[in-house]
Amino acid sequence: MAQHQKLELTWIGKELRPRLEPRVLFENTERSYHAKHRLGDTDHFDNRLIKGDNLLALKALESEFAGKVKCVFIDPPYNTGSAFEHYDDGVEHSIWLGLMRDRLELIRGLLAPNGSLWITIDDTESHYLKVLCDEVFGRKNFVANVVWEKVYTPKSNGRGLSADHDHLLVYARSEKWFDSGWNMLPRSDEQQGRFKNLDNDPDGPWRTYPLDVRTEDGAKREKYRYEVILPSGRTVKPAAGRHWALPLDEFNRQRASGEIYFGKDGNAMPTRKVYLKNAKQGVIARTWWPYKEVTGNQDAKREILALFGDSGFITPKPEALLQRVLTIATNPGDLVLDSFGGSGTTGAVAHKMGRRWIMVEIGDHADTHIVPRLKKVIDGEDRGGVTESTGWKGGGGFRYYTLAPTLLKTDRWGNLVINPAYDPAMLAAAMCKLEGFTYAPSDALWWQHGHSSERDLIYVTTQTLSAEQLAALSEELGEDRSLLVCCGAYRGVTAAQAAERWPNLTIKKIPKMVKDRCEWGHDDYSLNVKNLPMAQAPAVQPSQDDLFGEEPVA
């Protein structure tokens, strides 16, 4: 019998997956920025701006933020072949899909159960990206394809059609999004104005909805096709194939209470009133977002121009667009992530809306655009975008992080050794991340560098430990706790003897214990074809017995 095959998108190199090194994040306090005073109880100071490769940054965030991000918004390079100043957008199709797949899988793990992913993309890759997202998130978690009118005047081109829109692909992390993950939009003045009180109804403003409906239920259709005598005296019935939405007794009750409207002359087909006081406090978002509602690329360029004196970006996204996304997908205090930070629009809008945020950007404009922009937001000096509509006055702050260098480097003999740039604290933090521990050095216990639970601890050192030192550690630890000892080497006992003598200790050598885990020394996985390594045959690692030493014989 033929094996069942799943429907999937395939491309050259799909089976190739990077073995990412989980890097440590280090704060650069000189570039972090906070308001001088707390302006309110909702100020957020723990926002993060990370400068570095976004795939490595997503991996670095995994241990701390898995399942905690409410909304991810990304505006990746569209693979159009255009030469952007800040992005190489001409990535070959298969490579682009592979690099996007790697990021989407990490993003999925970071999303909260009721979280959502929003991706802006144009027609060049949107349909392939849709199938890829179906594979990563599951087709059942596809929410919608929002069409955003990004320009309001047609552009001449050689294709015969002006590309006036982009897509926003929306995916839920799980079915919990559909139950509790989204919000309605507030009514616009125009929508609010549709509620009127034409007959001085004591229940206040109302609007009407048709009272006749279509059904395939023949018995119900006949039962609900009763005649109605209008106030004008004219008798009416629903059109062929339709019937009233209410049984006769309920129709008469609502008519008596003034809930049925017959037009100003009492001669129109009856409609049902829906009162503003009883209506849902908002309207469901549509999948067509016109320029007049969320503005477009030109408005975004003007926003950037007002902040920096030059636009700097070809296709920035307007703040109004992000405001709508975050209104639907988040509530105040929720965590928002953008791993293609660009000009910093996501962080700026999230900050003004009282959301917490994380942004990642590899380019120099993390410093030239994002930091200055966010400083103006925090200082209350950004008057543009959604500042007025959100009532933003300033406050809060952010922490500026960079990725640690690779933990292991290859020495001149071809051996993997600990990077000399690592001091003891950096090494301990890196080993905690690699082994799944929380880095939390103890003030009381010099050997406790972190924990994975209350009773499971870790100690990191490059020293060679003697049997006497290991025995002292075991005794101080006690029988009710365990300690992972990561050391340069140990002497005086074999591995088997150590396990028998000190069952509360697990002893491993560094870097030997981690040398095969990751791709060491790979710092740039960005969406740029020139950063991709050439395919090579697997190399046999040189013997490292000289470096690490052999187990001693008892």
Side-chain angles (χ1 to χ4, degrees):
M1 179 182 295
Q3 292 184 344
H4 292 291
Q5 293 182 336
K6 67 178 182 178
L7 179 67
E8 64 175 324
L9 179 65
T10 61
W11 61 86
I12 298 170
K14 182 178 181 180
E15 72 282 359
L16 301 177
R17 292 174 179 271
R19 295 186 301 124
L20 299 172
E21 176 187 356
R23 303 281 184 96
V24 176
L25 294 170
F26 289 111
E27 182 181 359
N28 182 337
T29 55
E30 292 183 358
R31 299 205 62 78
S32 299
Y33 192 78
H34 301 90
K36 295 180 175 60
H37 306 284
R38 179 179 289 276
L39 300 180
D41 295 335
T42 59
D43 287 1
H44 299 296
F45 294 89
D46 57 347
N47 304 301
R48 299 191 180 193
L49 172 59
I50 303 170
K51 183 178 181 181
D53 179 85
N54 66 4
L55 191 60
L56 288 171
L58 289 171
K59 185 67 177 177
L61 293 169
E62 193 175 40
S63 59
E64 183 177 355
F65 291 99
K68 296 180 180 180
V69 179
K70 185 62 170 60
C71 174
V72 175
F73 175 90
I74 57 175
D75 180 26
Y78 291 177
N79 197 22
T80 62
S82 302
F84 288 359
E85 180 182 353
H86 300 301
Y87 291 117
D88 183 341
D89 209 29
V91 185
E92 196 273 338
H93 179 72
S94 291
I95 296 173
W96 189 88
L97 287 170
L99 295 177
M100 284 301 299
R101 185 270 315 274
D102 299 337
R103 287 156 175 78
L104 291 173
E105 289 179 341
L106 286 170
I107 285 170
R108 183 178 182 273
L110 292 171
L111 280 171
N114 64 344
S116 60
L117 167 66
W118 301 67
I119 313 175
T120 54
I121 197 76
D122 71 0
D123 288 331
T124 306
E125 294 287 355
S126 63
H127 303 87
Y128 294 98
L129 183 59
K130 166 67 168 66
V131 179
L132 176 60
C133 288
D134 284 345
E135 189 172 320
V136 175
F137 285 83
R139 292 185 68 180
K140 67 180 181 180
N141 290 318
F142 172 65
V143 177
N145 175 23
V146 175
V147 180
W148 166 47
E149 187 184 21
K150 62 181 179 179
V151 297
Y152 64 93
T153 56
K155 294 182 178 180
S156 299
N157 58 46
R159 294 178 177 269
L161 291 170
S162 175
D164 295 346
H165 72 276
D166 274 348
H167 305 267
L168 277 86
L169 296 181
V170 187
Y171 277 83
R173 173 61 178 85
S174 73
E175 67 280 356
K176 291 189 177 181
W177 154 271
F178 302 98
D179 297 331
S180 61
W182 59 277
N183 301 314
M184 288 188 166
L185 295 175
R187 286 191 182 87
S188 65
D189 292 340
E190 177 185 352
Q191 292 165 336
Q192 194 84 355
R194 295 171 187 167
F195 289 84
K196 303 179 183 298
N197 196 345
L198 302 177
D199 58 356
N200 296 317
D201 192 311
D203 286 323
W206 47 267
R207 62 173 301 182
T208 60
Y209 289 88
L211 198 54
D212 61 320
V213 296
R214 182 182 295 277
T215 184
E216 300 300 325
D217 186 341
K220 184 175 182 180
R221 184 166 60 237
E222 290 306 313
K223 181 179 179 181
Y224 283 38
R225 279 183 56 79
Y226 47 83
E227 292 184 341
V228 170
I229 301 176
L230 305 179
S232 66
R234 184 165 67 95
T235 300
V236 297
K237 289 180 66 174
R242 302 181 71 83
H243 65 81
W244 303 119
L246 305 172
L248 180 59
D249 57 344
E250 179 62 17
F251 180 91
N252 289 332
R253 186 197 69 77
Q254 291 192 20
R255 180 174 188 169
S257 65
E259 297 173 58
I260 306 295
Y261 185 61
F262 298 95
K264 63 180 182 179
D265 299 325
N267 194 42
M269 288 290 286
T271 53
R272 180 165 45 182
K273 292 180 180 179
V274 174
Y275 294 95
L276 179 59
K277 68 176 186 179
N278 297 330
K280 292 182 178 179
Q281 298 306 305
V283 294
I284 191 167
R286 302 175 65 189
T287 55
W288 165 241
W289 291 6
Y291 183 95
K292 67 177 183 179
E293 294 181 5
V294 294
T295 70
N297 285 147
Q298 289 300 320
D299 299 84
K301 290 179 182 179
R302 283 191 285 269
E303 291 170 358
I304 300 298
L305 186 64
L307 289 167
F308 304 111
D310 64 272
S311 64
F313 289 81
I314 303 298
T315 58
K317 299 303 177 283
E319 290 198 7
L321 179 72
L322 269 297
Q323 183 182 32
R324 174 163 291 192
V325 169
L326 298 186
T327 297
I328 297 169
T330 66
N331 294 308
D334 284 343
L335 181 59
V336 178
L337 167 65
D338 183 348
S339 55
F340 292 88
S343 62
T345 302
T346 301
V349 174
H351 205 98
K352 294 176 184 180
M353 294 179 68
R355 276 66 168 167
R356 296 177 296 127
W357 55 265
I358 300 172
M359 281 195 297
V360 184
E361 183 49 58
I362 191 172
D364 289 337
H365 48 289
D367 299 310
T368 60
H369 287 73
I370 297 179
V371 168
R373 181 176 191 171
L374 292 172
K375 284 183 176 181
K376 290 184 178 182
V377 172
I378 292 166
D379 293 339
E381 297 175 357
D382 177 3
R383 308 297 184 192
V386 299
T387 297
E388 183 177 348
S389 62
T390 58
W392 179 250
K393 304 297 183 184
F398 67 90
R399 301 184 185 278
Y400 185 106
Y401 288 86
T402 54
L403 291 162
T406 185
L407 175 61
L408 302 186
K409 298 187 72 173
T410 303
D411 66 12
R412 58 178 176 168
W413 294 284
N415 295 317
L416 285 172
V417 297
I418 296 172
N419 190 333
Y422 273 70
D423 61 25
M426 291 173 63
L427 177 62
M431 293 304 300
C432 283
K433 185 175 280 285
L434 280 163
E435 295 298 315
F437 286 75
T438 299
Y439 177 62
S442 170
D443 294 330
L445 302 172
W446 58 269
W447 45 263
Q448 181 179 326
H449 289 137
H451 57 82
S452 63
S453 69
E454 186 176 349
R455 298 180 181 275
D456 299 307
L457 312 174
I458 186 173
Y459 167 49
V460 181
T461 179
T462 56
Q463 296 180 2
T464 298
L465 300 179
S466 66
E468 291 77 12
Q469 289 172 309
L470 292 171
L473 278 173
S474 177
E475 182 179 356
E476 186 173 356
L477 183 68
E479 296 181 356
D480 61 340
R481 294 186 295 181
S482 69
L483 181 67
L484 173 60
V485 179
C486 306
C487 58
Y490 56 95
R491 56 184 171 80
V493 289
T494 66
Q497 290 172 334
E500 182 178 354
R501 292 186 190 180
W502 309 300
N504 57 351
L505 301 184
T506 300
I507 309 169
K508 296 183 179 181
K509 297 177 181 179
I510 50 175
K512 185 177 182 180
M513 62 184 288
V514 297
K515 71 183 182 65
D516 296 324
R517 298 240 192 119
C518 315
E519 297 172 349
W520 306 104
H522 198 155
D523 294 320
D524 192 347
Y525 293 89
S526 59
L527 290 173
N528 189 334
V529 69
K530 70 181 182 182
N531 295 320
L532 296 174
M534 295 297 294
Q536 297 177 354
V540 177
Q541 287 286 341
S543 172
Q544 302 195 12
D545 289 340
D546 292 339
L547 177 64
F548 302 117
E550 296 184 15
E551 303 286 4
V553 178

